[in-house]
Amino acid sequence: MNFLFRAKLLFFLYFVVNKLLNPTDMTSQSRIKPPVWFWIVSVVALLWNLIGAASYVADAFMSVEQLSQFTQEQRLLYESRPGWVTAAYAFAVWAGTLGCIALLFRKKWARTAFLVSLIGVLVQNIYQFFLSDTLQVMGEGALILALMVIIISIALLFFAKFSSSKAWIT
């Protein structure tokens, strides 16, 4: 290899590593300080998603004793749930939690995390609303909670998009 090629290769590698370690160039893009309500919304959203994560963990590691406290219909509903629904549930809660953490660290990839979370929420609820008898077994409360989760997931995606447009997250 000649000297010029080595120099270009080293410069390219330096540039790539520098961009990976410092994804935002502070000289070309200034960070605007977000208002206090940004932090309040972000913390409340994180708490909401941590509740969802705790619910997922409780659901995933449910003991036989806990399952025996269900009615026969509820137990059959729980046991017949396909693995892809559980996976969608996991993507929904963990991506939502990561999205909230990204908001608190003012990272633009919060939008992507909230999009993944919303897709997980929608996939999970397609099963609950259309492919199972969840609403008949669990009642109106399940419908209200599911709609609340969908609305909050959409709101968080729009909040991240809005925050990005205001340069609060970069």
Side-chain angles (χ1 to χ4, degrees):
M1 284 195 256
N2 65 21
F3 175 76
L4 186 58
F5 178 75
R6 287 181 189 171
K8 286 180 182 179
L9 181 62
L10 284 173
F11 178 74
F12 175 75
L13 290 174
Y14 169 78
F15 179 76
V16 169
V17 169
N18 190 36
K19 280 296 177 185
L20 288 174
L21 294 177
N22 303 309
T24 57
D25 183 6
M26 296 305 283
T27 58
S28 65
Q29 183 178 16
S30 63
R31 290 181 70 160
I32 298 171
K33 185 178 177 182
V36 173
W37 65 267
F38 167 86
W39 299 107
I40 293 169
V41 169
S42 298
V43 168
V44 169
L46 177 61
L47 293 173
W48 167 260
N49 277 282
L50 287 174
I51 291 169
S55 296
Y56 170 78
V57 169
D59 185 72
F61 295 103
M62 188 174 298
S63 69
V64 176
E65 276 181 2
Q66 293 168 320
L67 198 57
S68 68
Q69 294 174 357
F70 286 1
T71 67
Q72 180 68 20
E73 294 84 18
Q74 290 171 334
R75 191 169 49 255
L76 286 173
L77 184 66
Y78 180 83
E79 292 171 346
S80 67
R81 182 174 55 192
W84 59 268
V85 176
T86 304
Y89 185 15
F91 274 103
V93 298
W94 298 118
T97 302
L98 284 175
C100 292
I101 292 169
L103 280 177
L104 291 170
F105 281 104
R106 299 179 60 193
K107 298 295 181 185
K108 197 172 195 171
W109 56 266
R111 289 174 59 184
T112 305
F114 287 133
L115 178 62
V116 170
S117 178
L118 177 60
I119 291 169
V121 166
L122 293 176
V123 168
Q124 177 189 11
N125 283 296
I126 285 171
Y127 174 78
Q128 289 181 342
F129 291 151
F130 304 111
L131 303 176
S132 73
D133 55 349
T134 300
L135 299 178
Q136 294 164 341
V137 173
M138 303 304 285
E140 282 183 27
L143 175 64
I144 292 168
L145 179 62
L147 290 175
M148 217 168 88
V149 169
I150 292 169
I151 290 167
I152 291 172
S153 296
I154 292 169
L156 286 174
L157 180 59
F158 280 110
F159 179 67
K161 185 177 179 181
F162 176 77
S163 297
S164 178
S165 74
K166 295 288 189 183
W168 298 339
I169 58 175
T170 55

